[in-house]
Structure formats: structure tokens, C-alpha cells
Amino acid sequence: MDCIFCKIIKGDIPCYKIYEDDDVLAMLDIANDVEGHTLVLPKKHVTDLNDSDEETFDKVMNVTKRISDHYLDLGFEGVNVVINSKSAAGQEVKHLHAHIFPRRSGDEVKIQLVKPDKNFSLEEVAKKLRLN
Ligand code: 5GP
Ligand code: ZN
């Protein structure tokens, strides 16, 4: 399978490893945009959050929390955790991964939602989207 993250997991492509266990790998994002920007991925190839089985997703999220806690222990003051699922949501690498952005007060990083100029009725949206 032509998946860049599977190649990294196999060791065919190098990475800056942050954490590894039998099921999960965490590495620095090659973008090198925010200090400590980390990707947490399952070793099993799963395309995205919505196609993932629960067990695999739970493992990724547990490690995401552990690494986030570790970053706070190291002196970061907060984290943003982001998962893009599917192309419409901006997912570029089709192997499930969570982004961790370690944060400090006044670090001048902005995780920004740019929204179209549209307004919604919360009542109608809630009616349409309610799950139970
Ligand atoms: P997505 O948009 O799919 O949520 O994010 C994919 C991320 O993977 C991007 O932030 C991109 O910088 C990162 N990425 C792409 N190729 C590589 C690579 O070969 N190594 C690492 N470490 N990160 C990568
Ligand atoms: Zn893969």
C-alpha cells in the first residue's frame, strides 16, 4: 500500500520519534511549524477517524493524552488536539492521525476557524443533527 505513514512505521522512511508502543507511533510533524507539533498514529493502517474501529481510535487517543500530559510536565502550558477526517475536512494523509500542538501563553500561534459568512438557526441545526 502506498501510504507514507505506513512506510514510516515500517522504518523505510525516517522520522523524529516521540513515542512508540506495539500499537501506536508518535513523531514530530515534518511541517516544523509549531514547536513540538506531534502526530499520533496507529500502527495498523486505518484511513481516518470515521473509518476507524473503536479500539484503534481509543489507543490513539490514550497516547495523545499521555503525550499531552508529558508536554505539560515539560513546561508547555496547554495543547490543541486536532483530527482532520476526510478530504472535505482537509485531511491530506489518509492514515488516521491526531495532531498535538503544544502551547504556551503568548506564543502567538493561532489555531483559527475561518468561517463562511452564513448564519444558522441553532434550533433547526439541533433538530437536524441530534443523535438521540
Ligand atoms: P492532515 O492534513 O492529513 O491532517 O495532516 C498531515 C500532516 O502530515 C501534515 O501536517 C504534514 O506536514 C505531515 N506529513 C506529511 N508527510 C510527512 C512525513 O513524511 N513525515 C512527517 N513526520 N510528517 C508528514
Ligand atoms: Zn498507512
Side-chain angles (χ1 to χ4, degrees):
M1 185 186 307
D2 196 25
C3 170
I4 189 132
F5 286 178
C6 282
K7 286 181 186 157
I8 291 172
I9 289 159
K10 269 205 285 175
D12 293 347
I13 296 176
C15 71
Y16 289 99
K17 199 179 290 179
I18 297 294
Y19 172 87
E20 183 173 22
D21 64 26
D22 289 347
D23 304 304
V24 178
L25 174 78
M27 63 186 176
L28 292 183
D29 192 298
I30 207 170
N32 194 19
D33 44 9
V34 171
E35 185 194 4
H37 180 179
T38 301
L39 301 175
V40 185
L41 36 139
K43 288 190 172 174
K44 172 179 165 184
H45 180 89
V46 170
T47 309
D48 58 49
L49 178 153
N50 299 101
D51 286 343
S52 176
D53 57 280
E54 276 188 26
E55 191 188 352
T56 301
F57 185 65
D58 285 351
K59 283 175 180 162
V60 170
M61 292 321 290
N62 275 318
V63 170
T64 299
K65 174 162 166 47
R66 280 179 62 195
I67 293 172
S68 300
D69 292 347
H70 171 62
Y71 288 173
L72 264 54
D73 288 344
L74 291 177
F76 286 100
E77 297 170 272
V79 292
N80 296 103
V81 172
V82 175
I83 297 176
N84 301 319
S85 184
K86 303 195 182 289
S87 301
Q91 183 182 5
E92 286 178 2
V93 178
K94 301 296 193 287
H95 180 130
L96 170 64
H97 53 280
H99 297 254
I100 304 173
F101 297 95
R103 301 297 307 278
R104 297 182 204 277
S105 311
D107 62 11
E108 295 181 346
V109 172
K110 257 194 198 140
I111 311 283
Q112 212 174 8
L113 175 68
V114 180
K115 71 173 216 55
D117 189 19
K118 267 193 214 165
N119 284 306
F120 302 96
S121 151
L122 290 183
E123 195 177 339
E124 282 171 25
V125 173
K127 228 185 271 172
K128 191 165 75 176
L129 298 186
R130 190 171 164 149
L131 178 60
N132 63 18

